[in-house]
Every structure is written in structure tokens, then in C-alpha cells.
């Protein structure tokens, strides 16, 4: 009995609790809906929150003086989100958007393929377009237009206004949008349009504006091969790089590619509150974007421009001398180096290209234009093209002879015009009449083949290659740019399989032919080491990396990062412990090239106010007499500051490249380059040799040598 009484009490208590909870819920609901209903409804209308990525600005690329070679400009864009508005309001909103943009000279995305007044189709495959859009094949342009007007329930009778609405509705239909994913209406709009969209937000439901950093090139094509370009990230790049999304851009070539890690900033986040009818009620940044680091280069913008201009002008001048367009001179490179620090002061590759064309994805027409251009504008010829150095290599042979003791400063070789030491290989000097007796200084000045045939034979291939390797020839320099090639140093190791090294091959190597193939950057380093007395230098084109917080990336970190990113092992070459007599002889010979009446570049430097050391070179590139042209040099002669290497493919005579170097020297030294009247009778020091075509291993050999030699 007692048990039943207790159960009844517990039941009554439970009933009371339920009633109390019910009363509380009813009071709360009354408060929400009746007493504070309007306030809460207003609040709920602002609870539609969208998250927007704030794209971080990329770091700038600057020259050594702080000039921005690549910078970031801020671009205003307009996007549209889906909102709870009726069809008529949407159409009116789109028309107002289009009119606002047009009033301020801005454009919106318009891919609708029909024009009005008169009605006509744009240049499209009409049948395919109708089929893909499920339109009656018999419809003409006007019928198709009216089909869309009816489809989107456009009430205006103004044909032009109707088309504006259709164009934006068509864009929305093709790209899609939602209340969390927008469709971009226009990019790079004016300040006036940007201000109106923000000031009159209630008139533009669903419209949002945002600022996007855009990579820009203030100097257009200047230093394009150094700077490189950026472009939309590819699928493979997205898979292999963390911290990116499918809408990002990424460095594709040049410095932009190598230092992508530092140049890319960290994106931020912005919260956007909108009412359900699409009006923005609040915006706030939840995470600030952090811009990328600035990369400061060693190049000087003024010297870079002068170098590019001189190269373009020189190539045009060389081509004007040719009677035929076959094997015309239309490509080349020039490199300028600080002989003491190894800093690249200028690096030109002709022709240039426009990197801004790639930023948003290059058009097929522009891409095809570059790819089909036989001047190869996308190739950085300073680091990714190679050629036999011709007579510029004779300085290596001279050093090998002097340092090995097989000749001294007083040794003379009598040039008869034809080298007859070997009975089965008897090449000519470029001067078939002979130079007579010459010492090493005179041989450099006159570029006597005969002299260096003999010195090369005496010194031997091992000594020649030892010296060449110390100069870094046939090796990657380790410069902070992608796609540098190795080149080839002629030696027994570079022969095709099965060939036998002969003395004839040694004398050919001694004058810069046979398997020798070097890049302009290697030749520039070689020249700088000749100028500084044989001290090895580490080439660099990056002065510093400056972080947004004011700190700098350490030099050790930069070098380690570059070596890993490019797969190089550091600096090429090594110090040469050259005697003072050897250094003096080489430099004196180079001075004679530009200063003495018999020098191969005298006609181009005879009235130059500052003494220059130089060497010309011509290297045959086929069996029809065509040759690539070189000039290497340094200045001022008594206290060298810069070294220059100029290369022109099919330039024919080394002397023809000397005016290019002269203009570069004049710019660096603060001189006004005077008008140069070129000597069209310049004698070529190109070797009179026969081309041996590529062997099965595709190693180039330019001179035929019997497998067996006889003295």
C-alpha cells in the first residue's frame, strides 16, 4: 500500500515538471515571436555569412637600385552571389550592373554569341552552339535572341538593354553560382565603378566587390628571360605544391619559378555578412593576408636596357650585310659581369618576349606565335644555348702553354699559313699567306691559328682541359636560374663511343673547335677570371631576399635552397695560380686586339677613350661557311670592373660583335657611345675546316680527323 502511495507522488512530481517546462517554452517562444520578434528577424537576415579568400600580393622583383622590374598592382573586380530575389529584380539588377560599368568605361564578361541591330551570329560554329544549347536548328539569330529573352522572362522592349541582361544571365548559366560561390562579372574595373557598387549596395543585391593583386611588368619586355613569367597553376603543379588552390598563379620560368617559395605570400580571409535579399550588411577580416618577400637582383635596369638595345641593333646590323636570308643572324645573347664579385649586371637574350601575356593564361594565338618563331624568343640563350667558342678559346691554350713551360714570353712560332706537323691532317691558318714569326702576345692580337695549333700540340689535351675546367667551361655555373645547360668541353671523354683521340683532335680543340660547346654565361665567367688574374668567382643574379617583416633571408639559406631547387652542386671552376708573367701576357694580347692596328677588333675600338681588353672569335657551325660570332672583353684595362661576353648565332665574324660590346662598355663607364662605322672588310678568323656531322651519340664534331695520325 505504501509502495503505491510513493509511486503516485513520483508521478505527480513528474507531471508538475513537464508542465513547468512547457510553460517556460511557451513564454520563451512568445518572447521570440511576439515581444522581440521583429528584432530577431532583422538579426537573422544578417546571419548569411560568406568567407572570402584575400589573395596575398606576390613579392616584387627589383633591380640593384630598387627599381621595380616586376610589381603588384591592385585590381578591382565585381562578382555576384545567388540571393533570394525574384526574376524581375535579378534582371533589373543585372541591367544596372551593366549600365554602371559601361558609364565608367568598364567592360563585363560577354560571351553571348548574338549581336543586335542588326541581329547576327558572332564567329562561332552555329550548328554546334544550337545543339549544345537545345535550340531549334531552324532558328535564325533574331529567333535565338528572342528564345533567350523569353527564357529569362525579360520584360523590357529595349533590345540593347535586353541583350545586356541576356549576356549576364548567359554568363551565370554557363559558370553557375550559389549563395556561397560567386560568378565573376567584371575585372579590373575603374575606381568610379568600384565606389558606386560599394556606396549603393542596397541597389545591387548579391553584388560584392573585391581587390585582387595582379602581377605587372612596368618595363614590359625588359629582362624577360631573367624575370620569367607567372601563370595559372596547372593540375600537376597543384598536386605537387601545398598551400595553393586551383585559382592561384605560380611562377613558371626564370626568377619567378626558382624563388616561388619566397615570392608567394600567405592568403588571408574576409567574412562577408549579407541579408537574404543579397545586401551586404558587414565585412570584416578574420585573417590578414601577408605579402610575399621581395627578391632584389644584381642587375642594373639602365645597363640591362642598353645591353638589350645594343644586342638588337648589332644583330640587325650584321644581318644587313648578308646577301641572302639563309642562315641569317637573328638570335644572340650578351652577359655583363662584375669581375670582382661575380654579380650579373646585365643579361640579354634576343629576342625578348612579353611576360604579361602569360599572367591570366596565354592565348593560343600568342602561344603559337612564340613557338613557331624560328628566333626562339622563349629560350634564354645566355644560359640555354651553346656554341663552339672559336678563337676566344685560344687564351686557354696560351695559358696552358705558358704554365706548362712548353713556351715562354719570348718563344716564337713561324706561321706559314698551313700547319704541316701531321701528314694526314694539315689545317690552314685563317691567314693562308701566313703571319710569319709571332710570340704569344702577337698571336693573341692577330688570332693566329697556326701558333695555337702548335702550342696546343705541345701542351697536350690534358693540360688544355685542366685549364679550361678551372675557368668553369663545359660546366653549369650554378646561377640562380632554371634551364641552364652544361655545355661540352672537348676532350677524350667527350668523344663518341668507339672513336680514338688523335693529335689532330688536340690541335682542333686548341683553337676552340671540335667538341667544344659553351654557353654565353660560361664565356662571361671565363672572361671575368681572365680580367681578375685567374681568381674564381661565384656568379649570382640575386643580391638579397627581403621579407615583409624587414628581415633578410641569409646568404647560406639562399645558396642551399638554389642548389636543391636546381639540382646543382654549387660554384663551377677553381682558382688558377697563374704567374704574373702569364697574366700580363694574356692581358697584353687582349689589349692588342682592340688597341693595335693589326688587332681583330681594332677598327671598332680605335677611337674609344678607355682601354679595353678583348678577343674575337668565329666558330663554324656547318660546312657551308656559316659561323657563330663571339666577342669577349673587359674594361677598364688597368683596373678591370666588368667583363662582357657577346654571342650572335650566324654572326659570321667575331669582329661584327665588337660594336655590341662597345656600346655596353660605354653605358657602364658613363660614356656617350659615338656613331660606329663598321668595317665591312673585316677579316674572319673562322677556321677553314670541314664539318663532321653528328655521331650516333649526337655529339657534335666540326672537323674531320683520320683515326690514325702520322707525324
Amino acid at each position: 500500500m505504501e509502495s503505491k502511495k510513493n509511486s503516485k507522488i513520483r508521478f505527480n512530481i513528474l507531471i508538475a515538471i513537464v508542465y513547468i517546462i512547457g510553460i517556460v517554452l511557451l513564454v520563451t517562444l512568445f518572447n521570440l515571436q511576439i515581444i522581440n520578434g521583429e528584432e530577431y528577424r532583422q538579426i537573422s537576415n544578417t546571419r548569411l555569412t560568406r568567407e572570402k579568400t584575400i589573395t596575398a600580393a606576390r613579392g616584387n622583383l627589383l633591380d640593384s637600385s630598387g627599381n621595380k622590374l616586376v610589381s603588384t598592382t591592385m585590381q578591382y573586380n565585381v562578382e555576384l552571389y545567388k540571393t533570394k530575389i525574384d526574376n524581375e529584380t535579378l534582371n533589373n539588377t543585372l541591367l544596372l550592373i551593366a549600365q554602371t560599368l559601361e558609364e565608367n568605361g568598364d567592360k563585363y564578361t560577354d560571351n553571348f554569341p548574338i549581336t543586335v541591330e542588326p541581329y547576327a551570329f558572332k564567329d562561332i560554329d552555329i550548328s554546334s552552339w544550337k545543339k549544345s544549347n537545345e535550340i531549334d536548328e531552324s532558328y535564325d539569330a533574331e529567333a535565338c535572341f528572342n528564345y533567350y529573352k523569353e527564357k529569362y522572362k525579360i520584360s523590357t522592349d529595349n533590345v540593347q538593354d535586353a541583350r545586356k541582361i541576356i549576356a549576364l544571365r548567359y554568363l551565370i548559366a554557363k559558370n553557375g553560382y550559389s549563395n556561397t560561390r560567386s560568378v565573376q562579372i567584371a575585372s579590373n574595373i575603374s575606381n568610379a565603378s568600384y565606389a558606386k557598387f560599394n556606396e549603393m549596395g542596397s541597389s545591387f543585391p548579391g553584388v560584392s566587390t573585391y581587390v585582387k593583386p595582379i602581377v605587372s611588368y612596368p618595363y614590359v619586355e625588359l629582362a624577360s628571360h631573367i624575370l620569367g613569367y607567372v601563370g595559372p597553376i596547372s593540375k600537376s603543379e597543384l598536386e605537387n605544391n601545398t598551400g595553393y588552390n586551383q585559382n592561384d598563379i605560380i611562377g613558371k620560368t626564370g626568377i619567378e619559378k626558382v624563388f616561388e617559395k619566397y615570392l608567394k605570400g600567405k592568403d588571408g580571409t574576409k567574412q562577408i555578412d549579407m541579408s537574404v535579399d543579397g545586401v551586404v550588411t558587414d565585412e570584416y577580416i578574420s585573417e590578414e593576408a601577408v605579402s610575399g618577400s621581395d627578391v632584389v637582383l644584381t642587375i642594373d635596369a639602365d645597363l640591362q636596357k642598353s645591353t638589350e638595345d645594343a644586342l638588337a641593333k648589332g644583330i640587325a646590323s650584321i644581318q644587313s650585310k648578308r646577301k641572302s636570308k639563309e642562315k641569317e643572324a637573328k638570335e644572340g645573347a650578351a652577359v655583363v659581369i662584375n669581375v670582382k664579385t661575380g654579380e650579373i649586371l646585365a643579361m640579354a637574350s634576343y629576342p625578348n618576349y612579353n611576360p604579361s601575356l602569360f599572367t591570366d593564361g596565354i592565348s593560343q594565338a600568342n602561344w603559337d606565335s612564340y613557338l613557331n618563331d624560328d628566333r626562339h624568343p622563349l629560350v634564354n640563350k645566355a644560359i640555354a644555348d651553346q656554341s663552339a667558342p672559336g678563337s676566344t678559346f685560344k687564351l686557354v691554350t696560351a695559358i696552358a702553354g705558358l704554365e706548362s713551360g712548353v713556351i715562354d714570353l719570348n718563344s716564337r712560332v713561324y706561321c706559314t699559313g698551313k700547319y704541316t706537323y701531321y701528314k694526314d691532317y694539315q689545317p690552314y691558318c685563317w691567314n693562308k699567306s701566313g703571319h710569319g714569326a709571332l710570340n704569344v702576345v702577337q698571336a693573341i692580337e692577330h688570332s693566329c691559328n697556326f701558333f695555337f695549333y702548335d702550342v696546343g700540340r705541345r701542351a697536350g689535351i690534358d693540360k688544355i682541359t685542366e685549364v679550361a675546367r678551372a675557368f668553369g667551361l663545359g660546366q653549369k655555373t650554378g646561377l640562380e636560374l632554371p634551364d641552364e645547360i652544361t655545355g661540352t668541353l672537348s676532350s677524350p671523354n667527350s668523344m663518341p663511343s668507339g672513336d680514338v683521340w688523335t693529335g689532330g683532335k688536340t690541335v682542333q680543340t686548341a683553337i676552340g673547335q671540335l667538341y667544344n660547346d659553351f654557353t654565353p654565361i660560361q664565356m662571361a665567367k671565363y672572361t671575368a677570371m681572365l680580367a681578375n688574374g685567374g681568381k674564381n668567382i661565384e656568379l649570382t643574379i640575386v643580391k638579397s631576399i627581403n621579407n615583409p617583416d624587414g628581415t633578410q633571408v641569409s646568404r647560406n639559406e639562399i645558396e642551399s635552397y638554389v642548389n636543391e631547387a636546381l639540382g646543382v652542386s654549387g660554384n663551377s671552376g677553381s682558382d688558377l695560380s697563374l704567374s704574373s708573367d702569364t697574366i700580363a701576357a694574356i692581358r697584353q694580347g687582349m689589349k692588342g686586339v682592340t688597341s693595335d692596328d693589326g688587332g681583330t677588333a681594332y677598327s671598332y675600338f680605335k677611337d674609344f677613350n678607355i682601354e679595353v681588353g678583348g678577343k674575337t672569335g668565329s666558330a663554324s657551325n656547318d660546312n657551308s661557311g656559316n659561323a657563330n660570332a663571339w666577342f669577349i672583353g673587359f674594361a677598364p684595362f688597368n683596373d678591370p670592373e666588368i667583363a662582357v661576353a657577346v654571342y650572335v648565332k650566324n654572326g659570321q665574324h667575331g669582329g661584327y660583335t665588337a660594336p655590341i660590346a662597345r656600346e655596353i662598355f660605354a653605358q657602364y663607364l658613363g660614356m656617350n657611345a659615338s656613331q660606329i662605322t663598321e668595317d665591312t672588310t673585316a677579316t674572319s678568323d673562322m677556321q677553314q675546316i670541314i664539318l663532321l656531322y653528328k655521331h650516333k651519340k649526337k655529339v657534335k664534331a666540326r672537323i674531320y680527323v683520320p683515326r690514325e695520325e702520322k707525324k
Side-chain angles (χ1 to χ4, degrees):
M1 194 70 167
E2 186 68 25
S3 177
K4 288 183 178 181
K5 185 177 180 179
N6 290 337
S7 296
K8 187 175 182 179
I9 293 173
R10 285 195 296 270
F11 178 77
N12 290 334
I13 292 173
L14 181 61
I15 292 296
I17 292 173
V18 171
Y19 275 112
I20 292 171
I21 292 174
I23 292 170
V24 171
L25 290 175
L26 288 172
V27 171
T28 302
L29 185 62
F30 182 81
N31 179 61
L32 288 173
Q33 293 189 345
I34 306 300
I35 299 177
N36 296 306
E38 182 62 28
E39 178 184 354
Y40 287 132
R41 276 191 293 275
Q42 291 179 1
I43 293 174
S44 68
N45 282 341
T46 65
R47 291 304 186 188
L48 186 57
T49 300
R50 300 183 178 95
E51 190 175 88
K52 179 74 177 179
T53 297
I54 304 174
T55 305
R58 284 179 72 83
N60 301 306
L61 298 184
L62 303 94
D63 80 341
S64 58
S65 298
N67 298 304
K68 291 182 179 180
L69 304 176
V70 181
S71 61
T72 299
T73 58
M74 306 315 290
Q75 183 183 95
Y76 298 135
N77 299 331
V78 181
E79 60 187 357
L80 182 69
Y81 288 94
K82 189 174 184 179
T83 58
K84 293 181 179 180
I85 56 177
D86 58 43
N87 187 80
E88 184 177 358
T89 303
L90 174 60
N91 287 341
N92 291 336
T93 299
L94 295 177
L95 177 59
L96 185 57
I97 291 172
Q99 291 173 338
T100 299
L101 292 169
E102 290 177 343
E103 286 170 3
N104 296 308
D106 298 322
K107 295 181 179 180
Y108 51 88
T109 303
D110 182 355
N111 297 321
F112 187 58
I114 298 174
T115 59
V116 296
E117 298 182 329
Y119 292 101
F121 288 106
K122 293 181 180 179
D123 186 17
I124 61 168
D125 184 337
I126 300 173
S127 179
S128 296
W129 178 78
K130 289 179 180 178
K131 184 176 181 180
S132 63
N133 288 277
E134 299 180 349
I135 298 175
D136 194 314
E137 181 65 32
S138 65
Y139 281 10
D140 60 9
E142 183 177 2
C144 289
F145 178 85
N146 289 327
Y147 165 82
Y148 276 100
K149 184 180 178 184
E150 182 179 345
K151 177 179 180 179
Y152 297 136
K153 299 178 181 178
I154 298 171
S155 59
T156 179
D157 292 327
N158 186 305
V159 176
Q160 293 289 353
D161 286 350
R163 195 198 175 284
K164 294 170 186 177
I165 298 170
I166 292 173
L168 292 178
R169 291 292 297 264
Y170 187 78
L171 172 68
I172 293 170
K174 293 299 181 184
N175 290 275
Y177 75 146
S178 68
N179 61 357
T180 58
R181 187 172 71 85
S182 65
V183 57
Q184 183 167 297
I185 300 295
S187 61
N188 197 24
I189 65 173
S190 62
N191 290 335
S193 293
Y194 180 76
K196 186 169 183 179
F197 285 129
N198 285 282
E199 292 170 2
M200 301 178 63
S202 60
S203 299
F204 297 100
V207 171
S208 177
T209 58
Y210 66 98
V211 180
K212 181 180 180 181
I214 300 296
V215 175
S216 66
Y217 300 84
Y219 294 86
V220 193
E221 294 188 354
L222 185 74
S224 57
H225 296 93
I226 298 172
L227 306 174
Y229 61 81
V230 299
I233 191 167
S234 68
K235 182 178 179 181
S236 61
E237 288 168 335
L238 187 60
E239 292 172 350
N240 295 324
N241 292 275
T242 57
Y244 290 80
N245 64 60
Q246 61 186 10
N247 298 317
D248 279 335
I249 61 170
I250 192 170
K252 301 284 187 175
T253 61
I255 293 292
E256 291 280 16
K257 177 179 180 179
V258 176
F259 292 95
E260 171 68 22
K261 169 185 173 181
Y262 298 98
L263 290 166
K264 176 178 169 54
K266 182 181 179 182
D267 293 342
T269 305
K270 179 173 70 173
Q271 302 292 334
I272 303 173
D273 288 342
M274 282 186 175
S275 63
V276 292
D277 59 1
V279 177
V280 175
T281 58
D282 193 17
E283 292 185 8
Y284 54 94
I285 296 174
S286 56
E287 183 178 0
E288 293 280 358
V290 180
S291 62
S293 301
D294 291 343
V295 177
V296 183
L297 305 178
T298 59
I299 66 171
D300 175 84
D302 291 336
L303 184 61
Q304 178 71 25
K305 185 177 188 309
S306 292
T307 301
E308 292 182 8
D309 289 347
L311 183 61
K313 176 183 174 183
I315 290 176
S317 178
I318 293 169
Q319 186 54 37
S320 69
K321 299 176 177 65
R322 294 188 63 80
K323 297 178 181 179
S324 169
K325 291 295 183 182
E326 185 180 359
K327 296 294 183 183
E328 61 184 357
K330 53 192 175 185
E331 303 177 65
V335 182
V336 187
I337 293 178
N338 182 316
V339 303
K340 298 173 182 177
T341 65
E343 292 182 336
I344 306 297
L345 304 181
M347 177 189 288
S349 178
Y350 181 82
N352 280 347
Y353 67 90
N354 187 350
S356 65
L357 296 178
F358 293 84
T359 304
D360 293 322
I362 190 168
S363 69
Q364 190 63 49
N366 286 329
W367 179 247
D368 290 341
S369 176
Y370 281 138
L371 287 186
N372 296 329
D373 190 333
D374 60 4
R375 301 174 302 164
H376 311 105
L378 297 179
V379 176
N380 183 353
K381 299 171 185 68
I383 62 172
D385 196 2
Q386 60 185 13
S387 169
S391 294
T392 59
F393 189 79
K394 292 173 181 176
L395 305 174
V396 169
T397 303
I399 292 171
L402 290 168
E403 291 295 296
S404 66
V406 299
I407 61 168
D408 58 32
L409 300 184
N410 297 316
S411 300
R412 289 181 177 271
V413 173
Y414 194 90
C415 172
T416 62
K418 184 178 182 180
Y419 190 65
T420 58
Y421 187 86
Y422 300 111
K423 289 184 178 180
D424 53 1
Y425 179 66
Q426 299 185 349
Y428 284 93
C429 181
W430 67 263
N431 183 353
K432 292 185 177 182
S433 298
H435 288 99
L438 300 174
N439 62 26
V440 65
V441 174
Q442 295 167 328
I444 293 171
E445 177 182 333
H446 295 283
S447 198
C448 176
N449 293 349
F450 190 107
F451 181 94
F452 292 101
Y453 287 145
D454 201 52
V455 172
R457 176 189 61 80
R458 296 190 211 178
I461 190 61
D462 289 343
K463 186 62 179 178
I464 293 172
T465 55
E466 175 190 327
V467 173
R469 286 195 186 98
F471 280 112
L473 296 173
Q475 305 162 55
K476 289 184 179 181
T477 65
L479 192 68
E480 305 99 330
L481 286 173
D483 305 318
E484 181 182 6
I485 62 176
T486 304
T488 304
L489 175 59
S490 183
S491 73
N493 293 330
S494 60
M495 287 191 305
S497 177
D499 273 16
V500 176
W501 190 264
T502 64
K505 290 184 178 180
T506 297
V507 301
Q508 294 158 33
T509 298
I511 60 166
Q513 292 284 166
L514 199 64
Y515 305 117
N516 280 324
D517 267 321
F518 308 137
T519 62
I521 190 68
Q522 291 172 7
M523 295 295 287
K525 174 173 179 171
Y526 161 53
T527 309
M529 291 178 65
L530 289 169
N532 69 24
K535 179 183 177 182
N536 192 25
I537 54 175
E538 184 168 2
L539 301 190
T540 181
I541 203 166
V542 175
K543 184 180 286 290
S544 65
I545 299 179
N546 302 333
N547 297 321
D549 61 4
T551 61
Q552 282 191 351
V553 178
S554 72
R555 195 71 210 177
N556 286 339
E557 180 182 335
I558 294 174
E559 291 176 358
S560 176
Y561 171 78
V562 169
N563 290 344
E564 181 177 355
L566 298 181
V568 295
S569 56
N571 193 23
S572 61
S574 58
D575 289 339
L576 289 99
S577 300
L578 303 179
S579 69
S580 58
D581 286 345
T582 295
I583 295 171
I586 298 300
R587 291 181 53 170
Q588 192 61 36
M590 294 180 74
K591 179 182 177 182
V593 169
T594 61
S595 303
D596 291 349
D597 191 20
T600 55
Y602 171 71
S603 61
Y604 305 107
F605 286 95
K606 60 184 178 182
D607 59 347
F608 204 59
N609 294 331
I610 295 177
E611 290 184 329
V612 173
K615 185 72 188 79
T616 59
S618 301
S620 69
N621 53 29
D622 59 28
N623 59 357
S624 63
N626 287 294
N628 297 333
W630 290 93
F631 179 88
I632 61 173
F634 61 86
F637 180 79
N638 291 324
D639 185 16
E641 295 179 22
I642 64 167
V644 174
V646 179
Y647 160 70
V648 176
K649 191 172 185 177
N650 294 316
Q652 304 310 319
H653 306 305
Y656 288 170
T657 56
I660 300 172
R662 174 184 162 128
E663 290 195 31
I664 296 170
F665 285 130
Q667 171 65 27
Y668 177 84
L669 297 169
M671 303 164 60
N672 291 322
S674 59
Q675 184 65 34
I676 303 172
T677 302
E678 297 189 21
D679 180 5
T680 58
T681 63
T683 305
S684 171
D685 57 359
M686 181 180 66
Q687 320 310 321
Q688 302 300 313
I689 52 183
I690 300 172
L691 176 70
L692 178 63
Y693 287 97
K694 296 179 182 180
H695 291 275
K696 58 185 177 181
K697 282 198 172 182
K698 296 185 179 180
V699 180
K700 290 185 286 185
R702 294 175 176 78
I703 304 169
Y704 172 76
V705 183
R707 289 178 178 264
E708 300 194 11
E709 58 179 350
K710 296 181 181 179
K711 183 174 177 180

